[in-house]
Amino acid sequence: MVNIIAPKQFKTVAWKNGLGETTELAINSGGTLNNFDWRLSMASVVEDGVFSNFTGYTRNLILIEGNGLNLQHNDSKIDKLNNLLDMATFDGGDKTVGNLHSGEITDFNIITRTKCFDTKVITQNKAVEHPLEKADLCFVYSLYRDAELVVNTSQQVIKLAAGHLLKITNTPEDETDNFVHISGTHLIIVYLLQK
């Protein structure tokens, strides 16, 4: 099943630590800020600070606007997000401190319950025809330009407007294998596979 989630359906929710706000694009049915299996969101970081604690979760954080961000985990490992669509993957239970390079940034977040899902995230700057992989859930987000999904069985073309979220749910009647590719530029592609 293919759904397109429009920006008017996104929700604004407070950060878990109360120090900011997140734009929640999608969350599993019945999920809440304190108890969910997967969640996709965007947030602006306007000052250096400690990230919310998400023990039991895996975080994938992608730079989508701004001049960069360093993430220091447990006072040791540092992820440097210098360029558009750079990504860091880390344990949500780590003590993570964000340090801005120069001015505020916006990030795209995929947070999944580690014991429930394996997560694969692909970022693509250049214009490509990207074949989609089989997954229980697949999401596609295009930053700047409209993208297109071509359906193999019917050659139907589904338009994905920039700033909208495409959600593909794998069901026996409608498997991800039926999709040939997504065409676009500056894409974030997320695959969730149940363990």
Side-chain angles (χ1 to χ4, degrees):
M1 184 190 324
V2 178
N3 292 313
I4 294 178
I5 304 170
K8 66 181 181 181
Q9 297 171 268
F10 300 164
K11 297 178 182 178
T12 300
V13 296
W15 286 0
K16 196 174 179 182
N17 64 14
L19 299 178
E21 290 183 336
T22 287
T23 300
E24 185 179 272
L25 283 70
I27 192 170
N28 64 278
S29 179
T32 66
L33 179 62
N34 294 309
N35 185 18
F36 61 90
D37 291 331
W38 55 263
R39 188 179 77 154
L40 279 69
S41 62
M42 296 183 296
S44 294
V45 179
V46 300
E47 60 184 8
D48 297 347
V50 178
F51 277 45
S52 299
N53 185 318
F54 281 97
T55 298
Y57 290 84
T58 299
R59 297 190 66 166
N60 290 270
L61 186 145
I62 303 164
L63 180 68
I64 61 170
E65 186 177 354
N67 293 321
L69 174 73
N70 285 357
L71 299 174
Q72 185 169 21
H73 311 288
N74 296 331
D75 300 321
S76 55
K77 179 190 173 189
I78 297 178
D79 287 312
K80 297 180 179 180
L81 281 62
N82 299 315
N83 303 302
L84 185 71
L85 295 182
D86 280 356
M87 179 173 62
T89 300
F90 56 98
D91 187 322
D94 287 351
K95 178 190 174 185
T96 297
V97 178
N99 295 291
L100 297 164
H101 293 183
S102 174
E104 70 180 80
I105 62 97
T106 303
D107 56 44
F108 189 100
N109 293 272
I110 304 101
I111 308 179
T112 53
R113 195 184 298 272
T114 307
K115 69 179 182 181
C116 295
F117 286 96
D118 286 322
T119 307
K120 180 177 179 180
V121 182
I122 295 170
T123 60
Q124 181 63 55
N125 278 297
K126 296 180 180 178
V128 294
E129 294 184 355
H130 187 90
L132 293 181
E133 301 175 18
K134 186 174 176 61
D136 295 295
L137 283 168
C138 176
F139 297 93
V140 181
Y141 185 83
S142 181
L143 289 183
Y144 304 129
R145 298 180 182 172
D146 296 353
E148 292 183 343
L149 181 78
V150 178
V151 181
N152 184 28
T153 51
S154 63
Q155 292 302 304
Q156 176 189 8
V157 176
I158 298 172
K159 299 278 188 181
L160 174 64
H164 292 58
L165 183 69
L166 176 75
K167 177 185 177 185
I168 303 172
T169 306
N170 184 14
T171 65
E173 303 82 29
D174 185 18
E175 297 188 354
T176 310
D177 289 345
N178 290 339
F179 299 98
V180 178
H181 62 261
I182 186 89
S183 298
T185 180
H186 297 95
L187 299 176
I188 298 170
I189 303 172
V190 180
Y191 301 104
L192 300 184
L193 296 101
Q194 289 186 314
K195 291 185 175 179

